[in-house]
Amino acid sequence: MAEYKKYSNRLGITGWLAGGRWGIERYLYSLHRITGLGILLYFILHIFVTSSRVFSMDAWEKWMGFFGSPIFKFGEFLVFVAFAFHAVNGIRLFLIELGFAVGKAEEPIYPYKSSLNTQRPLMVVLMIVAIVLIAAGGYEFLGLTH
Amino acid sequence: MAKKIHKETDIVFHIRRYNPELDSKPLWKKYTVHVEPGMTVLDGLHQIRETQDASLSLRYSCRMGVCGSCGMLLNGRPSLACNTQILDITTKVLTVASLPNFDIIKDLVPDLTPLFEKHISTSPHIVRNDADEMLNPTGEFYQTPEELTRYLQFTYCIKCGLCMSACPTLATDPEYIGSQALPQAYRYNVDTRDDGFNLRKKIVGSTHGVFRCHYAGECSNVCPKGVDPARAIQLMKRELVLDYLKLKKHRAKSHICSKPEGVERIPEIPEAPPFTVEQK
Amino acid sequence: MRETKYWTWHMFAGVIILILLGIHMITMHLSTLLGWFNPAGGDAIGWDNLLARATLFIYAVVYIVLLGAALYHGLYGFRTILFELGLKKGAQKFINILFIAAGICLFAFGTWAATKFYIIAQGA
């Protein structure tokens, strides 16, 4: 075939996030990535910060005091929100990607129902669980128990 | 979705035009079309070509959602232009663009070559170990209706490329095999006549294979034939994981039904015509 | 086929994290309500509670398993995101080596800290 000039129409990274008339699972997919990256960053810092306990009690308490300020408390709460979402959505993805929540192949009859419809009750229930967890975490983290 | 209207009205088409000989990048052009209820986007585009701008290029063939030629991005969603009615998706403005994630050849014509190359790479045909039976068949393969249902849904693929243009992974990763070819590999993997699982797992289980899917689910949303690629991909992940953990159940293979014996041929049925090619 | 192996363990690591990090979160953030693993009472990150927990051998083991699982799960997930950017073969190889090295270093450092503190707590 003869070579001809073409225009590359790949969406690029905006294709992960923005779009046209997308379904809700696509936004969960984007959120799962963002929360995952946030948790990984926190986790690596966490390894170093908590290691200060090896050196002395003073070193530990200095760091804990530093991260005890309200701004870091709020940051920690954001990490908890990310964790709660990532964990709950992770349960959903675990069940889906190992083929437990997508149903069996069936004859498509218009209007088509897909595996997205099969997993949707699970998604709704788990997202409610996530919201409850985040609310409970907010109660604890933002100092309302004291 | 926009509220449906059921009377004649004027709709503004924003069409993303690209002429490789003149333009360095695509440009948006406006056309106003008088739309009647029941008109498809393809009808609207034809009207533009006939009455306003004959230079508009698009690809279409059957006009009834079977051939998969007229995939386009309609109001931000990959759809077939021939089975999308204009007044179902808009009341005022309709944006029409070439399918994303495929190169544009001209105007609304995407280059679907990667789709076919990836499709071929997964050996989408019956692969068998018994070459003798393939060359000199002795009978038909027996398959139950349940065994048929396991893959029938995925056979309806018309290779229109809508799933691939909706896929977020393909938006950045050109090597990803994608939501068209992977379900086709699964379709043959679960066919009881097939022995190709070990051949295909090298391709579908590779770095840019099935595990680059994270169930954004967009392929199943846009599929015009209800193929549900996302389901096939998840079921294939399960197959690969079970195979890795050595937990994959050995499926009963189709056995060959030998030719019936002791029955007479009904006289009205004519004999098969003679071969038109010389037999070796 | 290697990718199937990596991904299967990514899933299993996720399950391990779900259980162990769940316990970790309850210990750390529901201490005022439940008081699990906080014999000294009060703040879960207080020095006394820290020492009390560290005297348990199982606690050190749980920390090390959680560390390994979380590093694997996190770094594989990050690698997935990077690989989907459409990188060249060389860059993919570089990322593999970098992440394996970083994972081993962080695991070694965390294991050292957990073990050392277990020994300190035994002496205290």
Side-chain angles (χ1 to χ4, degrees):
Chain A
M1 195 160 56
E3 277 301 309
Y4 43 88
K5 193 180 143 204
K6 288 178 288 191
Y7 181 79
S8 173
N9 197 25
R10 212 165 276 286
L11 285 175
I13 210 149
T14 49
W16 292 3
L17 301 165
R21 297 180 280 147
W22 303 136
I24 189 161
E25 282 75 11
R26 186 170 190 140
Y27 294 105
L28 295 182
Y29 151 93
S30 305
L31 262 180
H32 200 75
R33 306 206 128 181
I34 295 165
T35 54
L37 286 176
I39 294 164
L40 182 66
L41 181 68
Y42 171 83
F43 175 58
I44 290 170
L45 289 173
H46 190 67
I47 294 174
F48 288 111
V49 170
T50 55
S51 293
S52 66
R53 71 187 187 275
V54 169
F55 301 110
S56 71
M57 181 177 149
D58 291 341
W60 171 261
E61 284 181 347
K62 197 185 100 200
W63 278 109
M64 287 304 118
F66 177 63
F67 287 114
S69 63
I71 184 110
F72 281 111
K73 269 274 173 229
F74 185 71
E76 225 181 4
F77 174 62
L78 287 185
V79 175
F80 176 78
V81 170
F83 161 71
F85 172 79
H86 198 88
V88 170
N89 196 46
I91 296 172
R92 181 181 76 96
L93 287 176
F94 182 87
L95 293 173
I96 286 172
E97 299 197 32
L98 291 175
F100 294 108
V102 288
K104 284 181 177 162
E106 58 195 30
E107 175 84 359
I109 295 164
Y110 192 84
Y112 304 124
K113 292 254 183 285
S114 71
S115 59
L116 292 156
N117 301 81
T118 320
Q119 60 84 46
R120 193 146 295 143
L122 175 77
M123 186 208 67
V124 171
V125 169
L126 286 176
M127 284 306 119
I128 292 169
V129 171
I131 291 166
V132 170
L133 273 178
I134 290 165
Y139 188 72
E140 165 86 22
F141 269 94
L142 304 177
L144 299 172
T145 49
H146 299 297
Chain B
M1 194 180 278
K3 204 169 147 246
K4 275 192 192 181
I5 48 170
H6 293 285
K7 58 178 197 303
E8 293 180 28
T9 181
D10 282 343
I11 300 283
V12 182
F13 277 54
H14 288 257
I15 301 182
R16 196 165 181 242
R17 303 288 306 268
Y18 172 71
N19 183 347
E21 285 167 13
L22 301 173
D23 306 329
S24 59
K25 61 177 193 186
L27 308 158
W28 289 95
K29 272 197 177 173
K30 266 198 255 182
Y31 303 90
T32 304
V33 179
H34 189 68
V35 173
E36 291 168 24
M39 252 174 89
T40 64
V41 177
L42 189 61
D43 293 335
L45 295 173
H46 276 313
Q47 206 187 92
I48 293 170
R49 270 170 62 87
E50 282 161 15
T51 60
Q52 300 183 43
D53 189 346
S55 72
L56 178 67
S57 297
L58 61 140
R59 187 194 280 144
Y60 72 97
S61 180
C62 74
R63 316 174 318 285
M64 52 188 195
V66 175
C67 72
S69 300
C70 62
M72 290 169 198
L73 192 70
L74 304 179
N75 273 3
R77 184 185 172 104
S79 324
L80 291 184
C82 65
N83 72 357
T84 307
Q85 292 191 11
I86 299 167
L87 297 180
D88 277 357
I89 57 167
T90 185
T91 51
K92 283 193 185 80
V93 176
L94 178 69
T95 61
V96 185
S98 180
L99 282 181
N101 303 343
F102 292 107
D103 292 347
I104 303 175
I105 295 172
K106 192 175 181 240
D107 295 342
L108 302 174
V109 184
D111 180 9
L112 297 180
T113 317
L115 183 152
F116 294 106
E117 281 171 355
K118 286 168 182 171
H119 185 226
I120 292 164
S121 76
T122 59
S123 306
H125 48 80
I126 297 277
V127 174
R128 285 190 68 87
N129 297 333
D130 47 357
D132 266 3
E133 178 63 31
M134 290 287 91
L135 293 172
N136 301 301
T138 56
E140 293 174 4
F141 294 110
Y142 181 78
Q143 204 165 45
T144 64
E146 289 74 29
E147 288 168 348
L148 174 72
T149 314
R150 285 224 292 266
Y151 68 80
L152 183 64
Q153 176 171 31
F154 312 121
T155 63
Y156 291 114
C157 176
I158 54 172
K159 293 149 198 82
C160 56
L162 298 190
C163 52
M164 289 176 79
S165 66
C167 176
T169 305
L170 278 164
T172 49
D173 185 1
E175 284 179 75
Y176 175 45
I177 299 173
S179 38
Q180 190 277 326
L182 291 169
Q184 293 313 302
Y186 179 74
R187 174 251 173 276
Y188 286 97
N189 276 351
V190 289
D191 193 319
T192 52
R193 296 165 293 182
D194 182 85
D195 298 320
F197 178 77
N198 287 327
L199 174 77
R200 282 184 210 105
K201 80 178 179 187
K202 292 191 189 95
I203 310 291
V204 297
S206 68
T207 307
H208 292 276
V210 75
F211 299 113
R212 295 286 81 82
C213 164
H214 310 287
Y215 204 74
E218 217 53 57
C219 48
S220 296
N221 275 338
V222 301
C223 181
K225 304 305 278 184
V227 170
D228 204 348
R231 174 181 283 157
I233 295 174
Q234 312 320 311
L235 292 174
M236 188 144 69
K237 282 181 197 168
R238 179 202 181 96
E239 239 189 1
L240 286 171
V241 168
L242 290 179
D243 179 63
Y244 165 62
L245 298 173
K246 308 236 183 309
L247 294 171
K248 191 165 175 278
K249 281 188 205 138
H250 191 72
R251 217 171 350 94
K253 289 278 166 199
S254 290
H255 60 264
I256 297 167
C257 310
S258 50
K259 282 174 186 160
E261 285 172 21
V263 268
E264 286 201 11
R265 195 185 174 83
I266 301 170
E268 298 93 81
I269 298 177
E271 287 291 333
F275 289 108
T276 52
V277 180
E278 191 187 340
Q279 296 298 295
K280 281 177 187 163
Chain C
M1 280 306 290
R2 262 184 299 172
E3 202 64 26
T4 309
K5 186 163 72 186
Y6 299 156
W7 189 80
T8 307
W9 287 103
H10 180 65
M11 288 284 114
F12 287 153
V15 175
I16 293 168
I17 294 166
L18 187 71
I19 297 163
L20 297 186
L21 196 56
I23 297 172
H24 184 68
M25 284 296 197
I26 289 169
T27 310
M28 293 300 157
H29 297 300
L30 292 178
S31 58
T32 45
L33 297 175
L34 297 172
W36 291 11
F37 302 111
N38 288 306
D43 204 353
I45 54 166
W47 183 252
D48 292 340
N49 276 327
L50 213 62
L51 274 180
R53 282 197 297 266
T55 50
L56 302 169
F57 177 67
I58 185 76
Y59 221 82
V61 173
V62 163
Y63 263 147
I64 293 167
V65 172
L66 180 58
L67 175 74
L71 276 175
Y72 181 78
H73 189 88
L75 290 175
Y76 181 85
F78 192 23
R79 171 184 175 269
T80 297
I81 295 174
L82 291 177
F83 270 34
E84 284 173 18
L85 291 171
L87 301 173
K88 291 199 173 69
K89 279 275 180 284
Q92 295 186 6
K93 209 165 192 173
F94 175 72
I95 286 169
N96 281 340
I97 294 166
L98 181 73
F99 278 24
I100 289 169
I104 289 171
C105 289
L106 286 167
F107 182 72
F109 179 66
T111 308
W112 168 77
T115 326
K116 185 89 189 285
F117 197 62
Y118 173 69
I119 295 164
I120 291 172
Q122 295 298 318

